[in-house]
Amino acid sequence: MAGSPVGVLALQGDYREHAAVLESFGADVVTVRRPEELARVSGLVIPGGESSVMDKLSRMFGLADPLKQAIAAGLPVYGTCAGLIMLADRIIDGIGGQQSLGGLDIAVRRNAFGRQRDSFEVEVEVPEFGEPAVHAVFIRAPVVEEVGERASVLAALDDGRVIAVEQGNLLGTSFHPEMTEDYRFHRRFYDRVLATRFA
Ligand code: GLN
């Protein structure tokens, strides 16, 4: 869809920061809260926030099923933190009844770093990007505990815990690049949007 905008899921969380990053690339960005808005976009960012709330709101607003269909149909989607949880096929330590949209063949553990390390920042090597390392900001972050055979790992911490994955049209990070000035993950997502749009 040439010319169609890129969406940022705006039910909850830090969607404004993601919109600003995409606008810095020259993208036409729209917020998505309703199925009609989702139908117009050629890519979608699911921001950080609180995945259990995002799950409830997406079902309440009738967006969960259209989102699942769009993911299955190949819409490029980038999920950060809570957004990564939304994209995971399996959630560990979800609240009772918490559902995800799924799409990524992974299991994520919510709040995996515990209370002592609620928030922290660390340099992370991302082989696909080369130098310099990515400065990664973690806030009550999940980790990817199981990576199924359809998903591939883009980055892990020194102790081996997986924090960035990719699978076809889907990209997910445990951390928040929108809070830094390094937009290589957003660029990777946006390049896929452009490639899909003009394919
Ligand atoms: N802990 C949150 C959740 O479970 C994620 C935190 C974040 O997105 N910064 O959804």
Side-chain angles (χ1 to χ4, degrees):
M1 283 181 285
S4 55
V6 183
V8 180
L9 189 66
L11 296 172
Q12 194 263 339
D14 75 332
Y15 58 88
R16 291 180 193 84
E17 287 78 357
H18 287 282
V21 175
L22 296 169
E23 278 162 1
S24 80
F25 298 156
D28 176 18
V29 183
V30 295
T31 51
V32 172
R33 295 187 184 84
R34 296 181 308 184
E36 307 83 84
E37 292 159 347
L38 179 64
R40 294 176 52 218
V41 301
S42 55
L44 185 73
V45 172
I46 306 182
E50 175 45 56
S51 57
S52 59
V53 176
M54 232 181 265
D55 165 42
K56 279 188 191 143
L57 292 175
S58 67
R59 286 189 273 147
M60 199 182 290
F61 290 2
L63 254 183
D65 286 332
L67 279 166
K68 288 179 194 167
Q69 285 156 16
I71 290 167
L75 184 75
V77 182
Y78 173 28
T80 58
C81 204
L84 169 68
I85 298 169
M86 293 299 290
L87 286 177
D89 282 347
R90 298 171 290 284
I91 302 177
I92 302 166
D93 283 350
I95 67 159
Q98 180 170 354
Q99 297 175 21
S100 65
L101 300 166
L104 284 173
D105 182 15
I106 58 171
V108 289
R109 182 179 296 278
R110 287 177 65 235
N111 302 328
F113 295 96
R115 286 189 177 274
Q116 280 72 31
R117 294 194 79 200
D118 247 7
S119 305
F120 61 99
E121 304 185 12
V122 69
E123 306 301 312
V124 175
E125 303 284 345
V126 183
E128 287 280 326
F129 296 159
E131 295 296 319
V134 169
H135 183 75
V137 177
F138 294 81
I139 304 169
R140 291 184 300 283
V143 294
V144 179
E145 264 194 26
E146 293 161 25
V147 182
E149 51 187 39
R150 283 172 293 138
S152 49
V153 174
L154 288 179
L157 294 172
D158 286 346
D159 63 10
R161 285 188 285 184
V162 174
I163 50 165
V165 293
E166 186 170 53
Q167 182 181 327
N169 52 312
L170 306 177
L171 176 65
T173 57
S174 297
F175 48 93
H176 291 269
E178 77 284 3
M179 293 182 174
T180 70
E181 285 172 2
D182 184 342
Y183 301 145
R184 285 176 285 177
F185 279 99
H186 287 84
R187 188 72 234 182
R188 191 173 179 88
F189 157 74
Y190 190 57
D191 284 346
R192 185 171 290 279
V193 172
L194 295 177
T196 308
R197 214 187 253 175
F198 297 113

